[in-house]
Amino acid sequence: MSASSTITVDDKQIELPVKTGTIGPSVIDIGKLHAKTGVFTFDPGFTSTASCESKITYIDGDAGVLLYRGYPIEQLAEHGDFLETCYLMLFGELPTPSQKADFDYRVTRHTMVHDQMNRFFQGFRRDAHPMAVMVACVGALSAFYHDSTDISDEKQRMVASMRMIAKMPTLAAMAYKYSIGQPFVYPKNELDYTSNFLRMCFAVPCEEYQINPIFARALDRIFILHADHEQNASTSTVRLAGSSGANPFACIAAGIACLWGPAHGGANEAALKMLMEIGTPDRVKQYVDKAKDKNDPFRLMGFGHRVYKNYDPRARIMQKTTHEVLGELGLKDDPLLEVAMELEQIALKDEYFIEKKLYPNIDFYSGITLKAMGFPTDMFTVLFALARTVGWIAQWAEMIEDPSQKIGRPRQLYIGPEQREYVPINSRG
Ligand code: SDX
């Protein structure tokens, strides 16, 4: 790729530098475009726009490749655990055994939340969507942890990062317990991260909770799959919020709010509801036809992706995990899985989906697994947010530490009225 690109605006030619990364597409640096030509670029969905430089995650959408700090997602999901991925995200390298032990120890000892946080929950209706609760409670953390909100202090940034990773499972479990009218369960330090979360969700005071190791391993792997995904909508939200200097808890709350949308993290909840609405494999064809109908707003939830124009590598691992969990439960012929497999079969052979390169994404199978584990559908996106917190916080920290970082402030193409004079109300109409 040449080191510069020429653009002609109103018969004026200008050179723009081209920057090349380690792997993946090069970029044309348009930072000086407006100053030199008076025009802006226009890319509302950012389909051709790189917003930053990053060393954290690389996606090759055509090849279906996903790397965290250079390591393939398949290998991390197979051989590591979620806290190892968190360490890799934050520090850029896989931990040594002693680094891993120290990191696990430190995260574990940040899992409790300030006891006054309990009162926040009392203000919600029991049937409040847990994502609404999470947006509120995570944002409220900045009211409790003033000693880790000075973003110019590297130590405080790290403390806030550890607190976020550690406290998300506790808050998520509290949101679930509150919704079902059961008492909150405190974390137990002798348990690993994901077992602790399962116990906080499903233990009751009346009896000892038995951790199912298959569920714990499967959920830990699901967290790894959801940890980060380059500059997706919610990560871009966290970066934009952070670019103003907002504290990390407020930025993560903004990310949670964005993730909630059905086009993004909310798709796992929407996908399961879609599978339940389809109900049986014989009804799949009519829903595929609906998804293809230009006049019908219905879309196959859990299908398609802005970047992946091949099978989402996370969806493959997700499908394998689904079979493991259902096998453990003796639910090999789970009706929802049958509908999902039939839907995938039909869609992947259909000209519409082939031509538009629509494949199952991470949200297509995750809901079946989470439902089988006992989570209600409205908790699915909460689990996505729990796992994505490490990606958000790593990307936020990378932005804060970037010396060229400045507040994000896009411009626009104005198509409104030209300047006009005010008309007093008595002279109108
Ligand atoms: C996540 O960005 C990330 O990395 C996100 C994520 C992450 O880890 O952070 O991977 C997590 O959000 C996964 C995506 C979850 N969302 C869904 O499953 C919702 C269903 N999918 C779509 O809404 C859609 O595919 C998007 C939002 C995911 C991507 O949309 P794009 O890239 O803007 O593509 P598009 O809407 O322009 O679609 C291209 C064409 C359109 O047809 P035409 O207008 O060209 O004729 O494909 C069609 C769309 O109508 N299409 C679908 C479809 N998805 C796209 N048609 C039917 N069913 C679908 N699911």
Side-chain angles (χ1 to χ4, degrees), residues 270-289:
L272 193 91
K273 286 178 177 167
M274 175 190 73
L275 295 175
M276 292 167 85
E277 184 187 328
I278 295 173
T280 52
D282 61 298
R283 283 161 48 88
V284 163
K285 180 83 178 56
Q286 68 193 65
Y287 279 83
V288 170
D289 292 341

Side-chain angles (χ1 to χ4, degrees), residues 229 263-264 294 299-300 302-303 305-306 314 361 388:
H229 214 236
H264 191 14
K294 291 299 292 169
R299 286 193 165 181
L300 288 184
F303 255 79
H305 199 276
R306 171 62 59 76
R314 303 167 299 174
N361 59 51
R388 185 53 59 89

Side-chain angles (χ1 to χ4, degrees), residues 22 30 139 180 196 199 242 283 320 361 420-421:
T22 324
I30 57 167
I180 57 174
N196 217 348
R199 183 178 169 281
R283 283 161 48 88
K320 181 168 158 272
N361 59 51
R420 50 187 171 162
E421 295 307 304

Side-chain angles (χ1 to χ4, degrees), residues 47 59 225-226 228-235 259 261-268 271 291-292 294 298-309 312 314 352-353 356 358 361-364 384 388:
T47 50
I59 304 170
L225 298 179
H226 287 81
D228 192 51
H229 214 236
E230 196 212 71
Q231 305 312 318
N232 58 84
S234 53
T235 298
L259 186 74
H264 191 14
N268 54 17
K292 290 157 61 178
K294 291 299 292 169
F298 173 78
R299 286 193 165 181
L300 288 184
M301 301 316 280
F303 255 79
H305 199 276
R306 171 62 59 76
V307 178
Y308 289 123
K309 300 310 172 192
D312 182 337
R314 303 167 299 174
Y352 173 92
F353 291 85
K356 294 183 187 300
L358 302 174
N361 59 51
I362 189 165
D363 294 311
F364 188 61
F384 193 152
R388 185 53 59 89

Side-chain angles (χ1 to χ4, degrees), residues 131-132 134-136 138-139 164 168 232-242 246-262 264-266 381-382 384-393 395-396:
M131 282 297 276
M134 291 302 286
V135 170
V138 170
M164 272 312 334
M168 281 297 276
N232 58 84
S234 53
T235 298
S236 300
T237 301
V238 171
R239 278 181 171 259
L240 198 55
N247 74 71
F249 305 106
C251 296
I252 299 299
I256 296 172
C258 177
L259 186 74
W260 194 359
H264 191 14
T381 311
V382 172
F384 193 152
L386 186 166
R388 185 53 59 89
T389 294
V390 65
W392 287 331
I393 212 83
Q395 298 267 355
W396 166 80

Side-chain angles (χ1 to χ4, degrees), residues 111-374:
T111 48
M112 283 179 74
V113 294
H114 192 295
D115 224 38
Q116 280 183 226
M117 286 294 290
N118 294 357
R119 295 191 203 157
F120 276 107
F121 291 83
Q122 310 314 326
F124 290 102
R125 291 167 41 139
R126 291 283 180 177
D127 62 354
H129 196 292
M131 282 297 276
V133 176
M134 291 302 286
V135 170
C137 290
V138 170
L141 288 176
S142 32
F144 286 91
Y145 296 110
H146 296 288
D147 61 341
S148 60
T149 52
D150 175 358
I151 62 164
S152 63
D153 178 343
E154 187 184 358
K155 259 184 75 241
Q156 290 197 34
R157 290 201 301 269
M158 186 44 70
V159 170
S161 303
M162 300 298 280
R163 278 175 166 157
M164 272 312 334
I165 294 165
K167 296 179 194 306
M168 281 297 276
T170 309
L171 290 173
M174 290 169 78
Y176 172 56
K177 282 303 201 189
Y178 185 75
S179 73
I180 57 174
Q182 288 186 0
F184 297 143
V185 175
Y186 284 84
K188 278 186 95 156
N189 289 352
E190 70 261 26
L191 295 176
D192 66 70
Y193 188 85
T194 303
S195 300
N196 217 348
F197 174 63
L198 283 169
R199 183 178 169 281
M200 287 190 283
C201 287
F202 299 120
V204 288
C206 332
E207 60 191 26
E208 269 314 300
Y209 175 70
Q210 294 303 318
I211 310 271
N212 179 324
I214 304 281
F215 284 8
R217 179 70 193 119
L219 188 57
D220 196 75
R221 190 186 301 149
I222 290 170
F223 288 164
I224 292 172
L225 298 179
H226 287 81
D228 192 51
H229 214 236
E230 196 212 71
Q231 305 312 318
N232 58 84
S234 53
T235 298
S236 300
T237 301
V238 171
R239 278 181 171 259
L240 198 55
S243 73
S244 75
N247 74 71
F249 305 106
C251 296
I252 299 299
I256 296 172
C258 177
L259 186 74
W260 194 359
H264 191 14
N268 54 17
E269 177 178 353
L272 193 91
K273 286 178 177 167
M274 175 190 73
L275 295 175
M276 292 167 85
E277 184 187 328
I278 295 173
T280 52
D282 61 298
R283 283 161 48 88
V284 163
K285 180 83 178 56
Q286 68 193 65
Y287 279 83
V288 170
D289 292 341
K290 262 171 75 71
K292 290 157 61 178
D293 179 354
K294 291 299 292 169
N295 303 315
D296 190 326
F298 173 78
R299 286 193 165 181
L300 288 184
M301 301 316 280
F303 255 79
H305 199 276
R306 171 62 59 76
V307 178
Y308 289 123
K309 300 310 172 192
N310 196 325
Y311 213 100
D312 182 337
R314 303 167 299 174
R316 282 197 202 290
I317 303 166
M318 203 64 247
Q319 190 189 55
K320 181 168 158 272
T321 304
T322 302
H323 284 293
E324 268 173 30
V325 169
L326 295 184
E328 166 69 10
L329 289 167
L331 295 174
K332 274 258 184 243
D333 51 0
D334 178 281
L336 288 176
L337 181 61
E338 281 183 4
V339 171
M341 303 288 280
E342 177 70 6
L343 179 51
E344 181 181 346
Q345 283 302 314
I346 292 179
L348 294 187
K349 292 191 189 104
D350 186 289
E351 204 32 57
Y352 173 92
F353 291 85
I354 294 168
E355 183 248 325
K356 294 183 187 300
K357 298 183 177 175
L358 302 174
Y359 292 86
N361 59 51
I362 189 165
D363 294 311
F364 188 61
Y365 285 103
S366 51
I368 300 171
T369 313
L370 298 175
K371 179 176 181 293
M373 286 185 183

